[in-house]
Amino acid sequence: MGEVSGRELAAWGNALLDAQAFRDWAPHGLQIEGDRPIRRVVSGVSANAALIEAAMERGADALLVHHGFFWDREPRALVGHRGARVRAMVRAGMALLAWHLPLDAHGELGNNVLLLRDAGAEPVRPFGDASPPIAWLGEMAPTPVGEVLGRLEGALGQAPVAFVHGPDEVRRVAVCSGGGAGFLEAALAEGADLFVSGEPSEQSQGVAREEGITFAAFGHHATERGGVRALGERMAVEFGLEVEFVDVPNPV
């Protein structure tokens, strides 16, 4: 089994994901430095108490997540559940590594490209007004919309909130994982027949109906499992680490 420092892992991940190109709401890479070399890693979507406890039970030296700590839009005081999570990590001596938008956008390991592949589409290019763009566009041979939604339901393990108002057959798919409902109109501008995200917004149904596109939301959590799992698998190969993905179920 190999071993590596948290700083080395962070530098590797930042370079791989081109993290410096993204203006995000939380720090990229190493958010908490552990007290020992890293040999065993647990990966998961969000650094909540259940995932931290699972990592401790498995003797992990580091926790790798998509949603970490220290968000700009949250209070900075480490009280309540925020304080408890940080204390648990520090007491366990575990490192915390997190990548958010860079792991949505990546052209191989990213959540959005992996969703396109789950749908049976070939990724074409990123799109949208984010800089750099994080949503992705894909294309496929004409396929019944129900079949495409079924593929995604099978891959993600849950049925979508779906507003089926697009063509009967899908040729162009747009995706933005997690809370990406705001990219619906950008998907329309790209000529998408189907837009896939994690969560709908209140206006999603009306826009989909009036513009003639199918909108499908499969859950914020479910649409963002793929990237962190894939990054952990790449990390295991690159450094000879033991990496285990742990899913803490979340229907949202």
Side-chain angles (χ1 to χ4, degrees), residues 2-217:
E3 70 174 44
V4 65
S5 73
R7 295 189 187 194
E8 288 175 292
L9 277 183
W12 169 82
N14 284 335
L16 175 67
L17 301 174
D18 194 22
Q20 75 280 357
F22 293 83
R23 183 177 180 182
D24 212 333
W25 302 288
H28 301 138
L30 189 62
Q31 294 189 346
I32 295 178
E33 192 165 26
D35 65 2
R36 56 189 179 271
I38 295 169
R39 300 180 179 88
R40 181 175 289 112
V41 178
V42 162
S43 67
V45 177
S46 299
N48 53 38
L51 185 61
I52 293 168
E53 183 176 346
M56 292 168 60
E57 289 172 351
R58 288 162 172 78
D61 305 305
L63 183 59
L64 168 66
V65 296
H66 184 52
H67 301 134
F69 296 163
F70 313 121
W71 296 90
D72 289 346
R73 298 176 179 181
E74 293 185 353
R76 295 301 180 93
L78 296 178
V79 298
H81 69 278
R82 294 182 185 86
R85 291 172 179 179
V86 172
R87 285 194 300 275
M89 292 290 300
V90 172
R91 286 171 179 165
M94 279 194 298
L96 177 64
L97 294 135
W99 283 276
H100 184 232
L101 293 183
L103 194 51
D104 291 323
H106 194 263
E108 180 186 356
L109 306 176
N111 289 314
N112 293 322
V113 162
L114 294 174
L115 285 170
L116 285 173
R117 297 200 183 282
D118 286 339
E122 184 64 27
V124 174
R125 57 178 170 81
F127 75 94
D129 59 3
S131 182
I134 59 173
W136 269 80
L137 193 69
E139 294 181 345
M140 61 172 60
T143 307
V145 63
E147 182 177 332
V148 179
L149 295 179
R151 291 172 184 171
L152 286 163
E153 182 174 344
L156 300 176
Q158 63 189 58
V161 174
F163 310 125
V164 183
H165 299 291
D168 292 337
E169 291 189 328
V170 174
R171 293 171 172 81
R172 181 166 288 191
V173 185
V175 298
C176 189
S177 67
F183 285 87
L184 176 56
E185 294 203 35
L188 284 164
E190 296 290 346
D193 305 308
L194 167 64
F195 178 63
V196 175
S197 189
E199 304 173 22
S201 62
E202 190 279 334
Q203 62 264 37
S204 299
Q205 182 180 34
V207 173
R209 180 190 297 120
E210 292 159 33
E211 295 286 357
I213 188 172
T214 293
F215 177 101

